[in-house]
Amino acid sequence: MENQFEQQPSQPKTPGIPDVTPFFQTTTVKMLVVGFLTLVLLIPLQFVKDLIAERSQREKEVITEINDKWGTDVYFYGPVLKVPYKVPATNSYKYAYIFPEKLENTTDVETKPLNRSNYNASVFTADMYFKGTYSKPDFSVKGIPQSDILWDKATILIQTSNLKSIKDEVKIAIGNQHFIFEPIYTNSNTGIQALETAFIHLSPDGVYPLNFDFKVKYDGSQQIKFVPIGKTTDVSMKSNWHSPGFTGNFLPNDKTKTVTQNGFQAKWKILHINRAFSQQYFDLLPDLKAYAFGVNFVIPVDEYQKNERVSKYGFLVIGLTFLIFFLIQSISKIRIHIFQYSMIGIALIMFYTLLIAITEHSSFLKAYIISGAAVVAMITIYSVSILKNYKFPAFIGLSLTALYAFIFVIIQLENYALLVGSIGLFIILGLVMYFSRRIDWNNN
């Protein structure tokens, strides 16, 4: 029995009867069938995308669980001098909130990975040192007499998040005295908690500026943010994290910012004129989250995001691979059965399942090379049995290798991905037009 893929001997023409190609062997029908198969293969490709999304969601759940146990993001608003005063008209008490005249912070952040099953979370330990000064509060702006001010009942207040992950006792030095911060109840639904000292026994005739300093050590994850409540706020941060995302209402000074593969250093200097709030408030402490700034300890593109981006090019890979086989079939007159197209398509789909499975146990680069090499080798070897020579399979193997390399380059780019992708597709279109010029479409 003759092999169905070998070129069939031409049959002698019957005199007076034109040589007509059977309808189901015409190029148009073959194109339609291959196009339909390409659309059908989008179904398993969508299943692969759903699998990636499911694994990615599982990763997020595990990372959230790890972060909750280790420590979440750090938000720091303070220290605020809190001074009570009488309101004779209502026989009640209210509070004045005084922000520092000068606030300096030095933060050293050490990051490390935490592993659970196949998932990694990046967490940190932050050592923060604060120092600064308070000016004497001015109650005259509200017409409050000195006799109504309870100087001896003044305290220091800090609003922050992640109280459970503070590693050591927080003690503030004011002058020659030391005061320990204790947690206090807040009815806020924002996740912000509070620390407050005992009475610091100020005196209306005390010496100002009033100096303070203290340290806080956090275990945390994701981000660190500060509210610049000092009339002059200076923040200096260094870390071994190599891809910081500077965030919030203020960015660090470009002249002092350095980011390398070994970590980063950054400094901020914010003046009171740079933000739209004053240095003292009466009755209520304002919510100043909108003015916070800091650093996100982010992973630019995680492994599942890379898998998802690669899978979006699945239709392009399948379509171009089928197009190569179709052009070879049309030029060489070798018949390729729809079943064989299906096997090739399924092999292309297997690339994405191999990629995500290997990525969970290795790096994305290694997984991409192994998966791509396996699929290219399989299709190339299979093509030898289909096309009965080595010239066309070698061309197919080189084309698939170039296509996978092209997609890998695109997903590594951020700012130039669209430009490089558009140029690449334009070149591919030109090559298709060049190789298809030999096909006589009028006789098919």
Side-chain angles (χ1 to χ4, degrees), residues 53-331:
E54 177 186 338
R55 303 297 288 182
S56 178
Q57 180 61 34
R58 174 58 180 161
E59 179 192 42
K60 292 177 182 177
E61 292 173 356
V62 172
I63 290 176
T64 298
E65 183 177 345
I66 293 174
N67 291 346
D68 285 342
K69 292 180 178 180
W70 176 266
T72 55
D73 61 297
V74 175
Y75 169 81
F76 198 92
Y77 177 4
V80 179
L81 178 59
K82 179 180 176 184
V83 183
Y85 61 93
K86 296 178 183 178
V87 182
T90 59
N91 195 27
S92 61
Y93 294 92
K94 291 187 178 181
Y95 295 92
Y97 298 93
I98 316 301
F99 296 161
E101 183 74 10
K102 186 175 183 180
L103 178 62
E104 296 180 11
N105 166 261
T106 302
T107 298
D108 190 355
V109 183
E110 183 73 21
T111 64
K112 66 177 183 179
L114 285 184
N115 303 320
R116 178 178 174 185
S117 300
N118 298 326
Y119 307 106
N120 297 319
S122 293
V123 298
F124 61 75
T125 297
D127 288 296
M128 301 181 179
Y129 174 68
F130 294 86
K131 68 177 182 178
T133 60
Y134 290 107
S135 295
K136 185 175 181 178
D138 183 9
F139 287 84
S140 64
V141 294
K142 289 292 184 179
I144 302 172
Q146 289 290 328
S147 58
D148 289 339
I149 303 172
L150 283 69
W151 292 101
D152 59 333
K153 299 295 192 297
T155 60
I156 303 294
L157 176 69
I158 291 174
Q159 289 195 345
T160 185
S161 60
N162 200 20
L163 280 186
K164 70 175 184 179
S165 294
I166 295 178
K167 306 311 294 179
D168 296 314
E169 182 180 63
V170 184
K171 184 187 302 183
I172 188 170
I174 301 178
N176 296 322
Q177 301 183 74
H178 292 81
F179 301 91
I180 297 175
F181 282 99
E182 299 288 349
I184 61 172
Y185 175 76
T186 61
N187 58 3
S188 172
N189 295 322
T190 62
I192 303 302
Q193 300 157 314
L195 296 171
E196 191 171 6
T197 65
F199 301 145
I200 61 175
H201 306 292
L202 292 182
S203 168
D205 301 320
V207 178
Y208 290 90
L210 186 65
N211 297 321
F212 66 85
D213 68 89
F214 63 97
K215 295 179 180 179
V216 187
K217 185 174 183 179
Y218 286 95
D219 281 345
S221 59
Q222 298 179 332
Q223 70 175 7
I224 298 175
K225 297 184 80 172
F226 303 94
V227 178
I229 62 172
K231 194 169 185 179
T232 300
T233 301
D234 289 284
V235 173
S236 177
M237 185 183 298
K238 66 177 182 178
S239 172
N240 62 336
W241 188 249
H242 56 82
S243 57
F246 299 108
T247 185
N249 209 44
F250 303 95
L251 295 177
N253 190 327
D254 286 335
K255 294 182 180 180
T256 59
K257 180 182 68 177
T258 58
V259 180
T260 67
Q261 288 300 315
N262 297 321
F264 75 89
Q265 292 187 10
K267 293 183 179 180
W268 293 258
K269 184 171 185 176
I270 299 116
L271 305 177
H272 73 287
I273 200 171
N274 300 140
R275 72 294 194 276
F277 58 86
S278 63
Q279 287 304 111
Q280 57 184 21
Y281 285 87
F282 294 85
D283 191 16
L284 292 175
L285 183 64
D287 182 359
L288 300 179
K289 269 189 175 181
Y291 300 95
F293 66 94
V295 177
N296 281 331
F297 296 84
V298 297
I299 301 175
V301 180
D302 68 23
E303 305 303 293
Y304 290 106
Q305 285 179 320
K306 292 179 181 178
N307 276 269
E308 182 182 0
R309 290 174 63 179
V310 171
S311 68
K312 291 179 179 179
Y313 292 95
F315 179 76
L316 175 66
V317 174
I318 295 171
L320 288 178
T321 304
F322 281 1
L323 180 60
I324 292 172
F325 275 94
F326 180 79
L327 290 177
I328 292 174
Q329 174 183 349
S330 300
I331 294 171

Side-chain angles (χ1 to χ4, degrees), residues 390-401:
Y390 293 96
K391 178 179 68 175
F392 288 134
F395 174 75
I396 290 169
L398 290 174
S399 299
L400 283 174
T401 301

Side-chain angles (χ1 to χ4, degrees), residues 26-51:
T26 62
T27 301
T28 301
V29 172
K30 292 177 182 178
M31 288 178 61
L32 292 174
V33 172
V34 172
F36 176 75
L37 178 61
T38 303
L39 294 176
V40 169
L41 287 172
L42 292 181
I43 298 175
L45 182 61
Q46 184 58 48
F47 289 155
V48 171
K49 292 180 181 179
D50 292 341
L51 175 62

